[in-house]
Amino acid sequence: DAKTTQPNSMESNEEEPVHLPCNHSTISGTDYIHWYRQLPSQGPEYVIHGLTSNVNNRMASLAIAEDRKSSTLILHRATLRDAAVYYCILSSGTYKYIFGTGTRLKVLA
Amino acid sequence: DADVTQTPRNRITKTGKRIMLECSQTKGHDRMYWYRQDPGLGLRLIYYSFDVKDINKGEISDGYSVSRQAQAKFSLSLESAIPNQTALYFCATSGGRHTDTQYFGPGTRLTVL
């Protein structure tokens, strides 16, 4: 199963954009890229997913590199409620979500 | 009401005891999962079920068993709990495609003394 690499932690000021990077150099052609986040004392929740093209939804945007070896989750205006651990996960036709340790995002007021 | 519920939310037990954690979902999904999370780490898959008659081991199934009583219910059992099974346990459910979102429950914090 392909693995992902993320920074352990990042900080952002409130109301500013946040770019959370993820490296997945061993990604295969059929792997989807998923992002979930885990707020304190909660289960993970879905943020966004994509295959090749950049994706936008009401929560965030996902920018996928042309070679698909990396991706970036973009929160356009961070709020205090966005403080969480963000997980970048690959899936390829199976049930398997391989969670790494994620990036702990701290949002400063 | 929550789509995925877990009971109990917290449990303290002693080494050697049998423990059952229960999960129910109202999403109407066929797929259900049990994960374990240790402090500072991501989630690891214990067992998963694609439907009532299809149950499979995940990456860390030793010491655990499961039962899929109905489409909506998936239970995790620790036959003889040991201290290193102290962790946060999450149940999740999803549709039938690997791109379908997984919906997670609120978790059960289990402490084995």
Side-chain angles (χ1 to χ4, degrees):
Chain A
D1 298 308
K3 296 290 195 292
T4 62
T5 304
Q6 300 175 251
N8 288 333
S9 62
M10 292 184 65
E11 283 188 0
S12 172
N13 293 318
E14 198 176 11
E15 304 291 319
E16 291 186 356
V18 182
H19 291 231
L20 298 168
C22 181
N23 288 318
H24 27 79
S25 58
T26 60
I27 192 170
S28 70
T30 56
D31 282 340
Y32 277 77
I33 302 160
H34 303 259
W35 283 83
Y36 281 72
R37 71 180 186 181
Q38 187 173 18
L39 301 170
S41 302
Q42 295 187 27
E45 64 176 4
Y46 170 80
V47 178
I48 201 166
H49 78 277
L51 182 62
T52 55
S53 302
N54 295 344
V55 183
N56 300 293
N57 67 21
R58 64 175 181 81
M59 289 181 69
S61 295
L62 176 59
I64 301 172
E66 194 169 339
D67 64 5
R68 300 207 329 122
K69 294 184 183 298
S70 66
S71 61
T72 302
L73 177 70
I74 302 166
L75 306 180
H76 295 287
R77 290 179 65 222
T79 70
L80 296 178
R81 288 173 294 181
D82 291 321
V85 178
Y86 287 79
Y87 295 101
C88 169
I89 302 163
L90 304 181
S91 71
S92 59
T94 72
Y95 62 92
K96 282 186 178 181
Y97 277 8
I98 306 296
F99 282 80
T101 54
T103 296
R104 183 173 297 277
L105 175 65
K106 185 175 181 180
V107 180
L108 305 174
Chain B
D1 289 337
D3 294 322
V4 183
T5 56
Q6 294 183 233
T7 55
R9 294 294 312 279
N10 288 282
R11 181 72 185 267
I12 300 174
T13 191
K14 295 182 179 180
T15 297
K17 294 291 188 181
R18 185 177 187 274
I19 296 297
M20 179 180 286
L21 309 182
E22 299 186 337
C23 177
S24 294
Q25 53 105 352
T26 59
K27 301 290 289 183
H29 290 158
D30 286 326
R31 295 189 175 192
M32 296 187 74
Y33 313 81
W34 274 105
Y35 291 90
R36 164 181 173 155
Q37 185 174 35
D38 293 286
L41 300 180
L43 281 67
R44 291 182 292 168
L45 186 64
I46 306 172
Y47 270 95
Y48 64 101
S49 171
F50 284 170
D51 63 41
V52 175
K53 297 181 180 179
D54 183 4
I55 294 176
N56 304 277
K57 293 182 178 181
E59 56 182 315
I60 55 164
S61 59
D62 286 347
Y64 301 95
S65 62
V66 291
S67 172
R68 186 80 183 269
Q69 301 94 324
Q71 185 199 39
K73 295 184 182 299
F74 193 34
S75 300
L76 176 72
S77 293
L78 287 67
E79 298 301 326
S80 180
I82 57 176
N84 77 1
Q85 291 178 312
T86 294
L88 198 51
Y89 291 85
F90 289 102
C91 173
T93 180
S94 75
R97 299 173 302 176
H98 72 94
T99 54
D100 285 344
T101 297
Q102 289 196 16
Y103 296 88
F104 288 81
T108 294
R109 184 171 300 280
L110 177 66
T111 302
V112 183
L113 302 176

